[in-house]
Amino acid sequence: MIKFNNINLIYDDKVLFKDYTLNIEENEKILISGPSGCGKTSLFRLLLGFSKLDKGEIHYNNQILNKKSIRKIRSHIFYLSQDIDFRNDIVENIIKEVFEYDLNKHLKYDISQINKYMIELELDENLLSKNIIDLSGGERQRIGLLICFLLNRPILLLDEPTSALDEKMKNKVADLLIQKGKTVLIISHDEVFQRNKNYKKVELTNGNNGY
Amino acid sequence: MGTTDINALSLTYFLIFLVPFVFVCFKVKLNIVNKVIYSVVRMVIQLSFVGIYLKYIFDYNQPLINILYILIMITVATFSILNSTKLKIRNMFMPVFCSILIPVSVMLLFFNNAIISINNIFDAKYLVTIGGMLLGNSLSGNIIALDNFYSDIKKNEKIYLYSISLGGTRIQALAPFFRKSIIASINPIVASMATIGLVALPGMMSGQILGGSSPAVAIKYQIAIMLAIFFTQFFSVNLSILFSIKMGFNDFDILKTKIFN
């Protein structure tokens, strides 16, 4: 479904990937780990078209990632960044704005669905009227996951989605992600994912991926 | 009835203030003497030149020359904006030039036709002076808007990209940045409209009264010019961000770093 084909990437004068190849099948759950600065997030950024390859190709459903296909590819990907980069606003406004975006026009802003997922993620209802900046790290992560569930896109790129959650919630999220039947790429240092047999482990190393 | 002329030599009497000025700067360790002197010298030289060529422009008063003069002023303004905002001339000249040219020309035609209804709408006396005021304000507005917009995007690129990943078009993802910079750039003029006349008389009004106009005429001109300045600046900053966006981002919606100096 997703193929990184012989890619090269140099970032800040550091070779992150050299002739690196990675194949991801549909519905696969991939756990990416490795030391910081080894290129985990860069892999996500490449797939989103936020960084440019120095060499090689990325394929999605037999379609090459280029300026023509990038918007379509992005529309199939939900990305949860490590810092959950929302601008500061009231949570409800942020969610509404996401639904106004062109690529999500086919979706309906449905408060009952939001409430359902909020219960699932053990989020308090009054969080919706709070400023995102006043939320705790764990609450922000779960708001990110809430939007992830609402958008219901086939591929999930999750960068440390559970780092600020308690043990019980980490387990719950790990299971929820499996139940959803999506293709999941997850960057995490959490044991929960390491232990879980449903996640295929991909280990990146510092400076010599694909050498 | 005209204004009493100032003897050029008597302008040098201002040098008297130089002594206490330098003294104060020295005492409170204000390290700005050189900078102030540089600016004053530039002002004197620039205005002297303006005085010389404006005399010819008013004497000839040829529509084509007057229009050319406005175009040159817009070009200079564009360079000045790009210089202050550290944006590359090669990429950003056209977008910024057009975003000044369009609203300024529309407003000048409107102003001279509909507001003051003069026969020769290309009369230097109106075209050059009103145009200059519109331009000066569009210049400062554009510097604030573009500087604000691009430094904000550079600083918060992750937020912008995150909106893109969530499904926003480039315009949708940039909208919050857009709104913020437009508000920052028009805030000063909105505030000054609200307080104008309360404390200080605006320069144009004082000038007209000194030049012999009645306060009633001067006030009407002042209201007209404030509105003209406001609308011109508003549309100009909107256009300059909009046009520059076309040049500032690549096919993958990523901010091009090569647009910055």
Side-chain angles (χ1 to χ4, degrees):
Chain A
M1 189 186 204
I2 300 166
K3 188 173 183 189
F4 294 88
N5 201 359
N6 279 318
I7 61 162
N8 283 12
L9 179 71
I10 299 167
Y11 186 76
D12 273 352
D13 293 333
K14 192 176 149 190
V15 179
L16 292 178
F17 297 100
K18 188 159 190 271
D19 299 326
Y20 182 74
T21 295
L22 177 68
N23 269 310
I24 298 145
E25 300 300 327
E26 194 168 354
N27 285 336
E28 231 177 355
K29 318 282 181 267
I30 308 274
L31 174 65
I32 302 167
S33 53
S36 66
C38 71
K40 302 186 294 288
T41 303
S42 297
L43 211 57
F44 285 6
R45 289 178 54 92
L46 285 170
L47 190 52
L48 289 159
F50 292 166
S51 299
K52 233 174 131 184
L53 279 174
D54 293 306
K55 207 199 94 193
E57 289 160 350
I58 296 170
H59 294 267
Y60 170 72
N61 280 344
N62 297 322
Q63 201 173 17
I64 193 160
L65 186 150
N66 56 24
K67 63 181 183 185
K68 281 203 184 100
S69 61
I70 186 63
R71 280 182 190 83
K72 184 157 178 237
I73 294 176
R74 278 180 191 152
S75 74
H76 288 198
I77 297 175
F78 175 82
Y79 171 50
L80 187 66
S81 60
Q82 193 168 3
D83 304 317
I84 318 171
D85 304 296
F86 293 121
R87 71 192 163 82
N88 187 32
D89 199 343
I90 289 166
V91 175
E92 195 178 0
N93 292 348
I94 288 176
I95 300 177
K96 277 187 178 153
E97 193 178 301
V98 170
F99 275 81
E100 284 165 13
Y101 288 156
D102 272 23
L103 292 181
N104 307 325
K105 282 239 166 88
H106 60 289
L107 298 169
K108 228 182 101 210
Y109 179 84
D110 180 358
I111 192 75
S112 66
Q113 217 183 5
I114 292 176
N115 286 331
K116 187 186 107 191
Y117 289 132
M118 285 189 84
I119 294 165
E120 210 164 57
L121 291 162
E122 296 174 23
L123 284 167
D124 200 292
E125 208 180 318
N126 65 27
L127 276 189
L128 287 178
S129 53
K130 282 192 183 170
N131 264 317
I132 196 110
I133 209 167
D134 296 326
L135 266 52
S136 72
E139 285 167 334
R140 277 166 70 104
Q141 284 182 330
R142 280 176 285 164
I143 290 293
L145 289 166
L146 168 74
I147 295 176
C148 170
F149 297 159
L150 290 169
L151 294 183
N152 198 23
R153 294 180 180 170
I155 299 165
L156 313 181
L157 305 184
L158 311 173
D159 196 345
E160 296 286 0
T162 53
S163 55
L165 303 179
D166 63 29
E167 207 56 29
K168 197 180 122 225
M169 202 62 214
K170 282 181 208 272
N171 278 305
K172 193 168 181 181
V173 170
D175 291 337
L176 273 174
L177 289 174
I178 288 166
Q179 288 164 24
K180 299 272 174 198
K182 310 265 179 200
T183 308
V184 182
L185 276 80
I186 187 164
I187 297 170
S188 178
H189 290 95
D190 278 333
E191 285 276 320
V192 200
F193 298 103
Q194 300 284 355
R195 282 197 306 262
N196 198 316
K197 291 205 168 41
N198 293 299
Y199 290 89
K200 184 175 152 188
K201 277 85 182 165
V202 171
E203 178 89 21
L204 295 183
T205 49
N206 225 332
N208 60 351
N209 296 305
Y211 279 29
Chain B
M1 188 173 81
T3 325
T4 313
D5 193 10
I6 300 180
N7 186 329
L9 198 67
S10 53
L11 279 175
T12 56
Y13 295 167
F14 270 106
L15 287 173
I16 295 168
F17 293 103
L18 201 62
V19 178
F21 166 72
V22 172
F23 177 75
V24 171
C25 287
F26 180 71
K27 266 286 169 207
V28 294
K29 295 196 172 95
L30 275 178
N31 198 12
I32 55 159
V33 176
N34 286 339
K35 211 175 158 186
V36 170
I37 289 175
Y38 173 77
S39 298
V40 169
V41 170
R42 270 194 67 157
M43 174 182 78
V44 171
I45 294 172
Q46 283 163 202
L47 287 180
S48 307
F49 274 114
V50 173
I52 293 165
Y53 60 66
L54 275 189
K55 184 181 160 0
Y56 287 107
I57 284 180
F58 286 153
D59 283 349
Y60 283 120
N61 203 11
Q62 289 291 323
L64 266 179
I65 295 178
N66 298 344
I67 291 169
L68 190 70
Y69 180 77
I70 293 283
L71 287 176
I72 292 171
M73 285 208 288
I74 296 177
T75 309
V76 175
T78 306
F79 276 115
S80 166
I81 290 166
L82 296 177
N83 225 338
S84 307
T85 50
K86 300 196 167 54
L87 289 167
K88 269 217 182 103
I89 289 161
R90 197 155 60 95
N91 305 83
M92 291 299 186
F93 183 84
M94 275 322 275
V96 176
F97 182 83
C98 294
S99 66
I100 302 175
L101 177 71
I102 298 167
V104 166
S105 334
V106 171
M107 187 54 81
L108 277 175
L109 292 177
F110 171 80
F111 197 92
N112 291 355
N113 260 316
I115 303 297
I116 50 179
S117 313
I118 47 176
N119 288 328
N120 174 14
I121 55 168
F122 299 112
D123 189 347
K125 196 169 135 193
Y126 296 94
L127 198 74
V128 171
T129 50
I130 305 291
M133 293 186 75
L134 298 181
L135 269 170
N137 285 278
S138 297
L139 173 100
S140 53
N142 272 307
I143 291 176
I144 300 173
L146 288 169
D147 194 43
N148 219 287
F149 184 77
Y150 283 101
S151 54
D152 198 9
I153 284 279
K154 263 202 282 190
K155 205 173 89 197
N156 294 307
E157 196 182 9
K158 281 179 159 186
I159 293 180
Y160 159 70
L161 289 178
Y162 201 51
S163 306
I164 291 278
S165 83
L166 287 170
T169 60
R170 190 184 302 175
I171 295 289
Q172 284 172 328
L174 288 173
F177 298 92
F178 192 99
R179 285 193 282 266
K180 242 170 86 182
S181 44
I182 298 294
I183 286 172
S185 89
I186 61 161
N187 258 342
I189 185 170
V190 174
S192 84
M193 279 199 289
T195 53
I196 203 161
L198 282 184
V199 188
L201 286 184
M204 179 184 173
M205 232 178 95
S206 309
Q208 273 191 303
I209 293 172
L210 285 175
S213 297
S214 75
V217 173
I219 278 169
K220 282 185 275 185
Y221 262 89
Q222 188 60 43
I223 292 173
I225 195 72
M226 282 307 276
L227 292 171
I229 287 173
F230 172 74
F231 288 120
T232 308
Q233 188 182 330
F234 177 78
F235 291 114
S236 176
V237 294
N238 271 280
L239 289 179
S240 74
I241 294 182
L242 212 60
F243 291 166
S244 77
I245 286 173
K246 285 230 175 296
M247 299 300 292
F249 293 80
N250 69 15
D251 292 328
F252 288 83
D253 302 313
I254 311 297
L255 181 66
K256 290 184 198 165
T257 46
K258 65 166 193 189
I259 60 166
F260 302 104
N261 273 326

